[in-house]
Amino acid sequence: MDKDLEAVLHPNVAAKSHSEVGSSRDSPKTPAARSAPSTLQKSLVIGACVATSTVIGGLLIPFVSPGFRRIALPYVPATDSQVKLVASILTRRTPGSRVVDLGSGDGRLVMAAAQKGFNSTGVEMNWWLVLWSRWRSYSLGLSKLTQFIRQDLYKCDLKSYDVIILFGVSGMMETIKKKLAVEMKSDSLFVACRFPLPSATPLEQLGAGIDSVWVYRKSDVIGGFRSN
Ligand SMILES: *[C@@H]1O[C@H](CO)[C@@H](O)[C@H](O)[C@H]1NC(C)=O
């Protein structure tokens, strides 16, 4: 994998070593203390764990709150393998084409697309994730090719995009299918990650299990209504 894609996929290496420093500081210093922890020590440790997870939970709230109102789209970052699959699909369109990621989360797919020269837009309801993505994109020198918009993805006009990407949840796919049938350009591609469009035959399916990615042309989306 190239170094740039690596930076998009693993931005938190520094944060990890920080937490390791914290845990070594908390370990008991004498062998006696390690072999026979008192009840008080045990309750202190349990208390510290509860406090720590409460604090971490609080920090994560902006990252797990619903991405939009109609159906809550949880923030689950794309896996490395999903990012690579989507990046490989993009190579079928010429750089400069416009890519949109609906519910862009931390923006990693948008940035991976920008690294391949695509003019990429992320649509995300959660302001924290929009701000994070803009900052991250700027720090990777990708801000000229990326836009992050805070918007309900159902309200995003899909007409101007050549590739439309969605990491969806099953309950929203029918609504999205109707939207695509109306708004998608005839030569655009729709890339569904995690869940396929209901009763539509994809052009192809890549990957397996939770990393599956389905690719549709507009004709495949419309064909899905005829077969109903
Ligand atoms: C990318 O697309 C946006 C339209 O959303 C446009 O304003 C911008 O100029 C484009 N950027 C490039 C580098 O083509």
Side-chain angles (χ1 to χ4, degrees):
M1 192 178 358
D2 56 63
K3 223 193 307 165
D4 291 340
L5 194 52
E6 193 70 54
V8 170
L9 293 174
H10 305 288
N12 292 324
V13 176
K16 197 168 153 200
S17 55
H18 180 72
S19 67
E20 277 160 12
V21 170
S23 61
S24 68
R25 188 188 54 208
D26 296 333
S27 60
K29 290 196 176 53
T30 65
R34 205 179 299 138
S35 57
S38 70
T39 310
L40 177 62
Q41 279 174 321
K42 279 184 198 158
S43 12
L44 283 176
V45 168
I46 292 166
C49 290
V50 171
T52 307
S53 37
T54 308
V55 169
I56 290 173
L59 291 175
L60 287 178
I61 282 172
F63 287 86
V64 294
S65 64
F68 57 91
R69 284 178 221 102
R70 268 182 255 188
I71 292 172
L73 184 62
Y75 167 58
V76 183
T79 63
D80 290 5
S81 134
Q82 283 166 328
V83 174
K84 280 182 222 162
L85 278 178
V86 173
S88 77
I89 293 163
L90 291 179
T91 60
R92 300 173 195 181
R93 289 289 181 271
T94 45
S97 298
R98 294 195 59 202
V99 174
V100 66
D101 184 11
L102 301 175
S104 55
D106 65 2
R108 64 179 70 195
L109 263 174
V110 175
M111 290 176 241
Q115 269 164 348
K116 300 215 169 278
F118 293 91
N119 188 351
S120 319
T121 302
V123 174
E124 170 59 53
M125 272 302 275
N126 183 315
W127 255 123
W128 292 104
L129 291 170
V130 169
L131 293 176
W132 160 263
S133 301
R134 285 180 187 166
W135 175 80
R136 182 79 193 140
S137 192
Y138 173 78
S139 65
L140 288 170
L142 295 170
S143 45
K144 281 209 176 76
L145 280 175
T146 57
Q147 298 96 51
F148 292 94
I149 309 168
R150 183 185 173 274
Q151 191 184 34
D152 179 341
L153 64 85
Y154 290 110
K155 296 195 179 125
C156 174
D157 187 350
L158 304 176
K159 284 185 191 75
S160 50
Y161 298 102
D162 303 296
V163 182
I164 299 154
I165 303 165
L166 172 69
F167 276 69
V169 291
S170 60
M172 69 187 292
M173 300 312 280
E174 188 66 49
T175 313
I176 289 295
K177 191 169 97 169
K178 287 179 188 143
K179 184 171 169 63
L180 288 166
V182 174
E183 296 179 12
M184 207 176 158
K185 287 195 296 184
S186 57
D187 58 347
S188 293
L189 290 179
F190 173 61
V191 181
C193 307
R194 267 192 225 118
F195 289 95
L197 288 176
S199 53
T201 310
L203 175 65
E204 61 189 301
Q205 179 179 354
L206 304 162
I210 60 150
D211 289 338
S212 293
V213 170
W214 294 264
V215 185
Y216 303 85
R217 296 160 301 186
K218 183 167 190 171
S219 57
D220 303 318
V221 175
I222 291 172
F225 287 101
R226 290 201 199 98
S227 64
N228 272 348

